[in-house]
Every structure is written in C-alpha cells, then in structure tokens.
Amino acid sequence: MAKLVQSWRLAAATVAVTLAASGAAVGAVAPASASSGAPYPCTTSNNADFQSATGAGVDVSAIGWLGNNEGAVACLGGSFFVQNGIDTTYGFGAYNNSPTTWTNADGYLPALVTSFTSDGAKVSITNFGDRVVIGGNPYVLIYSRVAVHNPTSQTVTVDPQPSAGLVPLDSAPDQVSPGATVDHDYVVAADRFGGTYAWPTAAQLAAAGSYNGHFGHMRAFWDTQLAGITQLALPDQQLVDAYKAGFAYTQIDRSGNALDTGTNGYHAEYEHDVIGVLANMFNEGYFTDAHALLDETDHVVGTNTQYSDGTWVYPWLWALYVEKTGDTKFLAQRFSSPGPQGASAQPSIQATAQIIAADRTGPGGIIGETNDIDANGYWVSDNYEALLGLAGYEYLAKVMGNTAQAQWADGEYNSLLQAVNSTLSSTISTNNLNYIPCSMVQPNTANRCSNPEDANWAAPGVYFNWAWNASMLGAPTTSPEGGTAADWIDKTLSYGFGRERGLLPANTFGGYPGEGFWSTAYNGAYGAWGLASNNYRDEGILSLEFLINNDQAGPYSWWEGCTPPGPTPWVGNHPASCGGSSPHSWGIAMGDLGLLDSLVSQATDGSLIVGRGVPNSWVGSGQHIAVSSFPTSEGHRIGATITTQGDSVTLKLTGMLSGPVSFELPAFVNNIASTSAGAVDSRVGAVTISANTHSVTVVMAHAPASS
C-alpha cells in the first residue's frame, strides 16, 4: 500500500526547494518582459531515494492531457515542472507567497488557478495543458495566463516575471489602470506522447493559437470526456468537483494505455493499482479503449514481480467489465486463452484464477506469506482479495456456460472461505480479540498494525472491499466465529477508531511509516468498507470529505500518505509533509469507486441498491441527490434521484431496470413510518420495489440523527 520498502518501488516524494529557472524546449526564446524572477519551487519526485516532501514541495498536482507520456508537475504559486527530458521548472517571479487560493478552473478542470494579491492588485496564474498538432505531430503544450486586476483607484504595476523559455503570446503592459484587467499569456511545449520527433520552435508555438482558443478546446475536451461517465449532483458540491477532477488526473497520470499511478512519483504501473484504476473507470462508465486497457492490465499481471494480490483479484475486474457491458465476445477470447503476448506475459483469466489455489500455502490452507502491505506476513487482505477473484471467476465461468470451471470456482471459494474463517476464529479466540486483525495469525499488537495510526489496520477492507463486492456477485461473505460480515466490520471499525481517539480526528484512518500518520489518498476507500456494515455505511463519503477538508496537497489531489496540516501560503488545512505521489491515481480511483457504490450499486442478480452509504446529513428537507448515466448491466444506464421534503424521501428512477431495487438509506434504519410502494425491512432500513416501479416515497418516523 505505502510502497516504501522495496527499492525498485521507491519513487521518492522529494521536491527541491530551490531550482534554477533555466532551460527550455528546443527553439524556445525568452519572453519579452524586461525582468525574470525565480518561480515558486516545483520539480518531480522521480528520484532514487525516498525522502518526504516538506515545505514548498508538498503542494503539488498535475496538468497535461489524456495519455500523455509524462504530465507536467503543477505547484502552488503558478509554477510547473516539465518532464520528458526537458526537466525544467517554469513559473512567474511575481508570486509573492502571500495568502493564496489554489483551485481548479470551473471547479473541476485540470486547469489550475493560483490567486493572490500584489500591491493592491488581484493576481491569478492559470496553467493547463492542451493537445496541439504542429507539423503533423501531436504535442502537449502548457498554456499560462497571468491576469492582473486593479480594484484600486490608482495605477498599479505588476511584472509577471516569467521564467526564461516561456514563449509570450501577447505584449501587454505591466501597468494596470484603475478598474482594469491585463492578461499576460505564455506557452511552452511539455510532451510528445512518447514520440521522438523534434520539439516545436518558439515561432511554431506562438503561431499555434491564442490562450483563449486553447482554453476553450481544453474545456470542451474534458467536458466531453466527463459527459460519457456517470454524472453526480450532491449536497456537497466539493465531492462532485473532486470526482470530476479525479477523473482528469487519472487520465493525465496515464501514459498511452499504461495506467500509471502518478505524475510526480510512482510514474509506473503496479499490479493492484492498475486493477483499481481500471475498475473505477468501468464502474463510472468509461469504456473507451477497454480492450486495450484490459490487455495492458493483463500484461502488468502477467509480468508481476511486486504484488501478488493483483493476480488474484484480476478475474473480478473482468466480472465488473462483463457485467457492465455484456461483452462476452472479448471474454471468450481471454477466458481460457492468453493474450497476444503469450501465457507468460498475458495469462488467461482461467490461469490467474488457478494461481489462487496454488498460492494457498499458508497455515490451514490460507494464502501464503506475502509483502502485499509492504511488510511480510499472512494478511487478511490477501485472502479477501483471493476470495473476490474466485467469486468473479465463478461469475465469468457461468457467463461462458463453463459448468466445470464454475463448479471448481465455487468449491475453491468455499474451501478458502472456510480456511480463512477457521484461521481467523482461532486467532481471535486465542488472543481475546473483538476485531478482525490485519494479520491472519497475529493480533494487531504483534504485527505491522501495532501503531494505531498505521492505516493498514483497515487493510481487510481497502483492498477491493471483498465484503461488499463479493456480495454484489452473490457470493457468501460470512466472517469468523460464525458472525456476519456486517457485525465484524462494525466491531473492527469501532476498535480501530477507538484506538485512534485522542491521536487523530474523526474520519481518518491514519497513514504510513515514512509518509506521515495523518491521512492517506486511500482514506475514502478505507471508509467504503463500511458499506457492508450495519453502523458505518456512510463512512466512505465521510472519509472522502475528510480528505477534501483537511488533506488536499493540490486542488482535489492527495499524496499517498501525509502528516497533519502545517504552515503554507495556501489558505486552508493542507499537510506539512507527505510521501508517495500527488495526484495518486489509485487512491483517487478507489475513493471514487466507494463514492459511487455508496450511491448506487448493481448486483449480478439484477438487483440495484440505492443510497446505502448516504450520510444522514444529506437527508434533510430540500436536499437533492442525483446519479445519472450509471452503467448497470448489458450496456444499460440508469438514473436515480433522491429528494427530501419534510420527513418524506422520494426516489425516482429512469432507464431500464434489470431487477428489484432496494432503497437503503441509513436514515431509514428503524425509522420507516410508511411507504408508497414496496416491502419494508425496518431493521436494515430498506424498501424494496419491483423493476416496474420507478418511483417510491418513504415517510420517516422522525428526522434522522446526524451522521
């Protein structure tokens, strides 16, 4: 998870605090401005030795384009670091470290806006990437605008002080009259999509179009991309913006079809990371280049030298894809046959499932010892992932009509589940535990989770959430000592949060050694474990909101692990020291997967679950929750809208439903007075309606308690 102990994975989070503002793309020339100042510090963290990012190095994000070879690292202060062998920081000496806001343009676009004041003027620096074809070759160009607005009654002078190498697109004065705004626009080449053709000259860059034209193209592109995935309208608009921004960051971290984890650090593919990123894409409804992305993921799994769990959970990724799309033709090509690169590089789905049985070398038939949570041990998360992979494989075998393999998967699943529960039950009984430890054979006081602030205490949930996702596949999810998964998740979350009390605030699971024990990009994913519980069903959303309010290292961007907030010009609570990468695609993806599951989840038996993780604070008069274009099964998409008026909550559904719908707000638990349709389970807090019923109104007995 924290990726710190293996030397080959140490994509360090170091960010230098002083850099020479020199160097440029071939043919670039210095801008026309009379002066040039050092930009705010900004560089990549791709170096050989791990060191936490501190000070100016913490506040980083990414700008660029979908599938670029290496996006540009974006930093507070309007600076950015161009990689791809240029390895230069660009920015503006006008930035003065005064109180600063840093946001996404329009709230979500990968165009980052740094705003501050200078000599009474309001200054904003906006940077974004656009794909531009010059001489028949595609590039990513970074466009920058320094906008200076003078709200005073006197003329003010603000020199942008651009770095050498930024090509000016206009000639604007540094003097700004009262009430006026002056824009200074620049461009520089940043990426060639992996090509080796020549970089454009300064003249070509200047001739490629205006800042406004490229901003419009960039906005239209990302809005079109976003229009193809599930749409959200929520009481917390920041969650919506973070969801949209996260989609863009994930595509910028990506290199062609390679689903890299980061832009400034971890700029490579890792088994479980790739599985999570692509699973979230599919769950959001993004199926562009799905075959190529699945084959790329297969290659990562087939050449696995790092984390074993990616191989085990690979069939679940396919189950999610096939359920959503109905693409049985491609499934038939990969079910028992390897990909084009052969069995050693692209194993069949069947081969990866059978590896699970071979890897059951641990005591009592559990999964053997691994380093999958960056420490050696028999980990509960490994076993839960293997179970999820087997459940996914059984579903695929049934889709293929392969009875023998379906029966094998069912038998292997039940055998492993029995071994897991027996081993955990022994560990729990022997050590008088009231929780699921992160180790199969040791209490948390004797394994790597001994520190209450080490987030791995919740690792059994964060690694693809077996308890929830296996239940969506119809697989049994019983827990140790004969208890239900819900009961033991409740016990474990209560135990973990109880240990943290007085050490950490609510709704953070902690962090990792060397990165900081405050929070992590996976915080929302840890919280999503609560979906299968009784008492923590809204924790996925609450934990995402914690990240937004306390842990942004860039606009809606998070490092893998961080310390508590520290001093920064950026207004708000922002971490003082971090490690890993930011934006971190796997953390973003798993958090967004939990967010959507909290709102709408589709089971393979055709049933739909709506609202299971919605916080009680969202169920107040006048509140509105809407999910549209959500992919369900066989290529169908549905919409779900929840509105509240007084104590009445109405669900309206659009699109083709493939089975019954369970309306399961936590606010309904033991709180349903009446319903306009369907069957009531007050204990669970569910109203179940038929596929032919597209609207239901539930009257609560009283206003729900706050979340």
Side-chain angles (χ1 to χ4, degrees):
M1 178 67 66
K3 311 176 184 75
L4 301 182
V5 298
Q6 292 128 319
S7 61
W8 42 260
R9 181 88 197 248
L10 298 184
T14 298
V15 181
V17 295
T18 57
L19 290 167
S22 61
V26 174
V29 297
S33 179
S35 60
S36 180
Y40 191 77
C42 187
T43 189
T44 178
S45 62
N46 282 328
N47 54 36
D49 301 311
F50 178 82
Q51 180 180 341
S52 292
T54 58
V58 176
D59 300 324
V60 293
S61 186
I63 51 177
W65 201 256
L66 186 153
N68 49 204
N69 184 58
E70 286 188 288
V73 178
C75 295
L76 184 72
S79 62
F80 56 94
F81 181 83
V82 173
Q83 305 185 84
N84 292 300
I86 297 173
D87 301 334
T88 298
T89 295
Y90 298 95
F92 303 90
Y95 181 67
N96 58 14
N97 290 282
S98 63
T100 303
T101 61
W102 197 24
T103 60
N104 301 86
D106 294 352
Y108 61 90
L109 291 171
L112 303 186
V113 185
T114 299
S115 301
F116 58 98
T117 60
S118 177
D119 294 331
K122 295 181 178 180
V123 183
S124 67
I125 304 172
T126 302
N127 300 310
F128 67 90
D130 190 23
R131 182 183 184 275
V132 181
V133 177
I134 299 175
N137 296 317
Y139 300 90
V140 178
L141 307 184
I142 302 299
Y143 287 86
S144 300
R145 169 169 285 177
V146 180
V148 184
H149 175 68
N150 180 9
T152 74
S153 59
Q154 312 238 342
T155 297
V156 298
T157 300
V158 176
D159 178 358
Q161 301 180 54
S163 300
L166 288 171
V167 176
L169 296 177
D170 58 13
S171 180
D174 295 339
Q175 294 74 32
V176 187
S177 301
T181 300
V182 171
D183 296 331
H184 304 265
D185 298 339
Y186 306 89
V187 64
V188 70
D191 191 86
R192 295 179 289 190
F193 294 96
T196 57
Y197 39 83
W199 291 101
T201 66
Q204 288 174 314
L205 292 173
S210 69
Y211 174 99
N212 287 342
H214 286 288
F215 187 92
H217 179 257
M218 176 276 300
R219 173 193 275 151
F221 173 82
W222 289 110
D223 281 347
T224 299
Q225 293 287 308
L226 288 163
I229 68 171
T230 300
Q231 306 294 298
L232 301 179
L234 305 174
D236 186 346
Q237 180 60 37
Q238 290 190 104
L239 274 176
V240 179
D241 288 339
Y243 167 78
K244 295 162 100 174
F247 172 86
Y249 291 144
T250 299
Q251 301 288 17
I252 291 170
D253 283 347
R254 169 181 167 183
S255 300
N257 291 322
L259 296 173
D260 297 331
T261 299
T263 290
N264 66 312
Y266 295 172
H267 193 61
E269 294 179 293
Y270 307 105
E271 289 82 356
H272 46 208
D273 300 39
V274 171
I275 298 285
V277 170
L278 190 52
N280 182 56
M281 287 183 177
F282 291 159
N283 198 52
E284 290 176 334
Y286 183 88
F287 303 111
T288 304
D289 299 323
H291 290 187
L293 292 169
L294 281 166
D295 275 349
E296 176 67 18
T297 302
D298 192 16
H299 173 75
V300 177
V301 167
T303 56
N304 184 344
T305 59
Q306 300 147 11
Y307 295 119
S308 302
D309 57 335
T311 301
W312 304 325
V313 82
Y314 179 64
W316 168 71
L317 173 67
W318 270 92
L320 184 66
Y321 171 71
V322 172
E323 177 196 17
K324 299 287 185 183
T325 64
D327 186 2
T328 56
K329 183 177 179 179
F330 193 52
L331 170 64
Q333 295 175 30
R334 297 290 184 269
F335 183 77
S336 57
S337 300
Q341 298 178 39
S344 61
Q346 288 185 310
S348 68
I349 301 166
Q350 180 175 319
T352 61
Q354 291 172 343
I355 288 172
I356 297 172
D359 285 345
R360 291 180 58 187
T361 59
I366 63 173
I367 294 294
E369 188 177 54
T370 75
N371 195 46
D372 285 340
I373 63 171
D374 296 315
N376 291 326
Y378 297 102
W379 305 120
V380 175
S381 54
D382 283 343
N383 287 272
Y384 282 176
E385 286 178 275
L387 286 167
L388 183 57
L390 288 168
Y393 182 61
E394 181 181 358
Y395 166 78
L396 295 171
K398 289 178 178 178
V399 170
M400 288 290 297
N402 192 326
T403 303
Q405 284 300 303
Q407 290 176 343
W408 175 86
D410 179 65
E412 192 69 23
Y413 183 97
N414 287 311
S415 171
L416 179 56
L417 180 60
Q418 182 178 6
V420 168
N421 283 342
S422 176
T423 304
L424 277 178
S425 181
S426 175
T427 301
I428 289 169
S429 298
T430 300
N431 296 281
N432 296 313
L433 307 182
N434 64 343
Y435 62 91
I436 299 173
C438 66
S439 166
M440 292 289 300
V441 296
Q442 296 174 311
N444 282 355
T445 52
N447 62 51
R448 75 149 292 169
C449 299
S450 58
N451 182 345
E453 297 171 281
D454 187 330
N456 278 293
W457 68 264
V462 75
Y463 284 93
F464 306 105
N465 203 351
W466 161 75
W468 182 251
N469 287 313
S471 70
M472 294 298 98
L473 291 163
T477 55
T478 55
S479 283
E481 309 240 297
T484 66
D487 289 339
W488 278 94
I489 295 170
D490 280 334
K491 292 177 182 179
T492 306
L493 292 177
S494 294
Y495 149 82
F497 287 143
R499 279 208 308 170
E500 291 178 353
R501 194 168 294 119
L503 300 173
L504 294 171
N507 301 315
T508 177
F509 287 77
Y512 306 117
E515 293 183 345
F517 285 113
W518 166 256
S519 192
T520 163
Y522 312 113
N523 201 57
Y526 280 114
W529 193 19
L531 276 173
S533 76
N534 295 312
N535 302 324
Y536 292 92
R537 285 159 47 174
D538 58 358
E539 190 58 43
I541 288 177
L542 298 180
S543 297
L544 270 181
E545 290 181 320
F546 177 89
L547 287 178
I548 290 171
N549 295 324
N550 300 281
D551 206 46
Q552 291 188 62
Y556 300 127
S557 177
W558 300 279
W559 287 91
E560 188 172 42
C562 286
T563 63
T568 172
W570 188 7
V571 176
N573 295 325
H574 305 286
S577 176
C578 299
S581 66
S582 172
H584 191 279
S585 279
W586 189 25
I588 289 171
M590 297 304 286
D592 286 347
L593 188 66
L595 171 63
L596 277 185
D597 285 346
S598 298
L599 301 170
V600 184
S601 291
Q602 177 70 58
T604 54
D605 67 1
S607 60
L608 190 74
I609 297 92
V610 178
R612 184 170 174 86
V614 168
N616 287 356
S617 60
W618 291 10
V619 189
S621 189
Q623 298 277 40
H624 176 86
I625 303 166
V627 179
S628 59
S629 195
F630 175 76
T632 53
S633 59
E634 301 289 332
H636 298 301
R637 301 211 179 208
I638 62 97
T641 302
I642 302 170
T643 55
T644 305
Q645 189 63 45
D647 291 331
S648 297
V649 186
T650 298
L651 169 65
K652 292 185 178 180
L653 300 159
T654 58
M656 181 180 293
L657 301 173
S658 54
V661 177
S662 184
F663 189 21
E664 298 189 6
L665 298 182
F668 290 168
V669 174
N670 296 318
N671 190 31
I672 298 175
S674 65
T675 180
S676 64
V680 174
D681 185 332
S682 188
R683 183 186 63 82
V684 173
V687 174
T688 302
I689 57 177
S690 71
N692 296 322
T693 304
H694 281 68
S695 178
V696 61
T697 296
V698 179
V699 179
M700 297 181 291
H702 51 76
S706 60
S707 297

